[in-house]
Amino acid sequence: MDTTATLNLQPVTKTEQAHIVRHNARENENYENKDIDITKSHENVVIKYHDEQELLNDQYKDYIDSRNAKLERDFDENKISLEQYTARKQTVKEYLNGSNGSKQKKAYTDIVATVGNVEMIDDFKKVIPPSRWNEFFTKVYDRTARRIDRLDGFSVINMHVHFDEAGMPHGHIDTVNRGTTAKGKPSTTLNSALKKSYGYKDSRRNLKELRDNLDDKMVEDCNVVLNNMHINTRMQLVRLDAVGGLSMEEYKEQKKKEQELKERKQELDVEQDELEKQKLEQQKQQKLIELKQREQAEREAEQNEREDTLTNIRNHVQEQFNSIKHFVKRTVSFFGLDEKFQNSVANEWMEYPVPREKGGFTKEKYTGGDWALTAIHENPKRFTANVVRDLTTPTPTQNKKKEKDDDLER
């Protein structure tokens, strides 16, 4: 009879290992795994091989004690403070759980052993009565667990054999990794445990060696148990790719991955929709920004135009002011007034009466340009057409200044 035999190894932390043990012992009433039939959970079997704490102490205690002793020496010699000594000192449990800010160490390996696959259930039932499956699988997986325990790199804590899940019964073998580093220090990793068991530097080769060796041994153990049960059948190992089947663990893992891919696709669809919304919102915001920029540019252009207009007006007024000032000073000079008086009138900082043609002054007082115009009106004899033209014609100095200003503007 053809059968498959597989071992799946998963390195885990203490937290993960404790969760697996609780799950394997069916300590919960509700399970994510819908393949569990709790009405059959009483058929499950648990076998204890070693005390977990004794295994951990045997692997790590000497190493932890030596580290703590060095810390104590450093503290006694004042190389470290009390605070540093207290913070760095560890127990085996603290070391594995990742105290002092380090991560939890994957010091355990959960090994799932499975003989047969979901496509072989009917063939097994023809050979082994279902009423004797508990006896058969428990003895086969027990022999497998003891083989693993004899490897240098692993020590088995316990094993749970499950008969309450769909598919073939399988065994969860809970182990402590017993590897060492190149310097002989205890190592927590699965690779170091495999290397200590088989000796190769290539971890993949060590893993293949374990699978090839123990898969064959599981089938040998099946035949030994069948013989002891007086069942006249022999089994032979076939690889999964040869029969196209899946072990229960691999079947569940495949379904899990399919569900994860489905959920991930849904998440990606939601993310894509959200990205599209964000893209549309960004385009909308960009258009608003461009609109605001155009409006700002238009406002700035209008502001610049207003400023240019005001500048031109100011320049024009200034030119008019200068012309009037010049006109006033020339007008005042015809009356023979002193220079101080001329400047005062021209600068418009005081009020003055206008001299009349027949003598005397007006009662009203005028300033600046009004004074000059009124003076011409009140005393026209002093102002012939030539004189008025002369008064209103810019001086050569003013012409030069205007030409200079025009050059600057150009």
Side-chain angles (χ1 to χ4, degrees):
M1 173 184 168
D2 291 339
T3 184
T4 58
T6 61
L7 287 173
N8 291 321
L9 286 72
Q10 179 65 43
V12 293
T13 65
K14 174 58 184 175
T15 299
E16 295 167 335
Q17 181 258 359
H19 175 75
I20 291 172
V21 170
R22 287 194 299 273
H23 172 76
N24 290 339
R26 302 296 192 251
E27 294 181 5
N28 301 320
E29 295 182 359
N30 299 311
Y31 304 99
E32 295 180 1
N33 185 355
K34 302 305 179 182
D35 295 324
I36 296 176
D37 183 356
I38 59 175
T39 64
K40 295 182 179 181
S41 295
H42 66 280
E43 299 177 10
N44 294 342
V45 175
V46 58
I47 301 175
K48 186 176 179 63
Y49 297 92
H50 297 291
D51 181 79
E52 178 182 352
Q53 192 57 51
E54 289 181 2
L55 292 178
L56 294 176
N57 287 340
D58 184 57
Q59 173 73 355
Y60 300 107
K61 192 171 186 307
D62 290 344
Y63 171 65
I64 297 300
D65 287 346
S66 65
R67 287 181 20 146
N68 289 338
K70 184 179 183 306
L71 284 172
E72 190 167 346
R73 289 194 302 271
D74 290 343
F75 175 68
D76 291 338
E77 296 173 3
N78 295 322
K79 293 181 178 179
I80 59 175
S81 66
L82 177 61
E83 182 180 0
Q84 291 172 318
Y85 169 73
T86 304
R88 296 175 187 176
K89 187 176 181 180
Q90 292 178 308
T91 63
V92 171
K93 181 178 179 180
E94 290 171 339
Y95 172 72
L96 297 178
N97 285 345
S99 62
N100 300 338
S102 61
K103 294 181 180 179
Q104 284 196 58
K105 296 174 174 59
K106 294 191 175 184
Y108 300 82
T109 297
D110 178 56
I111 303 176
V112 181
T114 308
V115 171
N117 59 58
V118 292
E119 297 177 0
M120 296 178 174
I121 291 179
D122 291 339
D123 293 336
F124 268 77
K125 288 180 178 179
K126 292 176 183 178
V127 174
I128 308 169
S131 60
R132 303 194 70 183
W133 276 29
N134 187 294
E135 177 186 1
F136 172 77
F137 285 105
T138 298
K139 288 182 177 180
V140 170
Y141 294 144
D142 175 55
R143 292 174 72 90
T144 299
R146 294 182 185 279
R147 289 183 187 279
I148 293 172
D149 189 57
R150 288 195 292 271
L151 295 174
D152 292 337
F154 300 92
S155 290
V156 178
I157 304 171
N158 53 54
M159 178 182 69
H160 292 80
V161 185
H162 290 160
F163 296 93
D164 59 352
E165 296 185 44
M168 299 300 291
H170 54 278
H172 285 269
I173 303 170
D174 187 24
T175 71
V176 170
N177 299 333
R178 299 292 300 272
T180 56
T181 66
K183 295 183 179 180
K185 296 180 181 179
S187 172
T188 61
T189 67
L190 171 60
N191 286 341
S192 65
L194 290 169
K195 182 178 180 180
K196 188 174 182 180
S197 298
Y198 294 99
Y200 298 111
K201 292 182 179 180
D202 187 349
S203 297
R204 290 173 296 182
R205 184 174 180 183
N206 289 323
L207 181 59
K208 184 177 185 303
E209 191 78 12
L210 179 141
R211 291 184 185 280
D212 290 345
N213 180 264
L214 292 183
D215 288 355
D216 286 333
K217 295 299 182 184
M218 271 200 289
V219 175
E220 287 182 16
D221 290 335
C222 286
N223 291 324
V224 171
V225 173
L226 287 171
N227 184 62
N228 292 339
M229 293 174 63
H230 305 290
I231 296 176
N232 189 22
T233 298
R234 286 194 61 81
M235 295 185 176
Q236 58 186 9
L237 177 67
V238 291
R239 295 298 178 187
L240 293 177
D241 55 359
V243 295
L246 295 173
S247 69
M248 188 58 201
E249 289 300 318
E250 290 172 325
Y251 172 78
K252 290 191 292 186
E253 184 66 23
Q254 176 177 298
K255 289 297 183 183
K256 180 181 177 182
K257 289 181 178 179
E258 289 176 357
Q259 181 62 26
E260 289 175 350
L261 288 173
K262 181 179 178 181
E263 292 174 356
R264 182 54 183 158
K265 183 178 182 303
Q266 292 174 344
E267 292 175 358
L268 290 174
D269 290 341
V270 172
E271 291 176 3
Q272 183 65 30
D273 291 341
E274 186 63 29
L275 287 174
E276 290 295 333
K277 291 179 182 178
Q278 291 178 1
K279 184 178 180 180
L280 291 174
E281 184 62 25
Q282 289 175 353
Q283 291 175 348
K284 180 180 177 181
Q285 293 297 327
Q286 183 62 32
K287 289 181 179 178
L288 287 174
I289 291 173
E290 292 174 355
L291 179 60
K292 290 181 179 180
Q293 289 175 341
R294 286 198 298 270
E295 291 176 349
Q296 180 66 22
E298 291 173 357
R299 285 195 297 269
E300 290 178 354
E302 291 175 358
Q303 180 67 21
N304 292 335
E305 185 177 353
R306 285 196 298 270
E307 290 178 356
D308 291 342
T309 300
L310 291 174
T311 299
N312 292 335
I313 292 173
R314 283 195 296 269
N315 292 338
H316 183 64
V317 170
Q318 183 65 41
E319 290 176 359
Q320 290 181 329
F321 172 77
N322 292 336
S323 177
I324 292 172
K325 183 177 178 180
H326 171 70
F327 176 71
V328 170
K329 291 185 69 174
R330 296 283 299 277
T331 302
V332 172
S333 66
F334 274 96
F335 293 95
L337 302 176
D338 59 55
E339 185 176 352
K340 181 178 180 181
F341 186 82
Q342 295 176 31
N343 292 332
S344 297
V345 175
N347 290 329
E348 302 184 5
W349 65 279
M350 292 180 68
E351 293 182 346
Y352 298 92
V354 177
R356 293 181 182 276
E357 179 184 356
K358 297 180 180 181
F361 294 89
T362 61
K363 293 182 179 181
E364 296 83 359
K365 294 183 178 181
Y366 301 89
T367 60
D370 289 339
W371 188 97
L373 294 173
T374 305
I376 294 172
H377 176 73
E378 293 290 339
N379 203 344
K381 292 182 178 180
R382 295 290 302 272
F383 297 92
T384 64
N386 290 337
V387 171
V388 173
R389 186 167 51 254
D390 181 59
L391 288 173
T392 57
T393 301
T395 63
T397 303
Q398 287 177 313
N399 284 330
K400 290 181 180 180
K401 181 177 186 301
K402 185 175 186 306
E403 291 173 359
K404 182 178 182 182
D405 292 339
D406 292 339
D407 290 339
L408 289 174
E409 290 180 2
R410 287 196 295 269

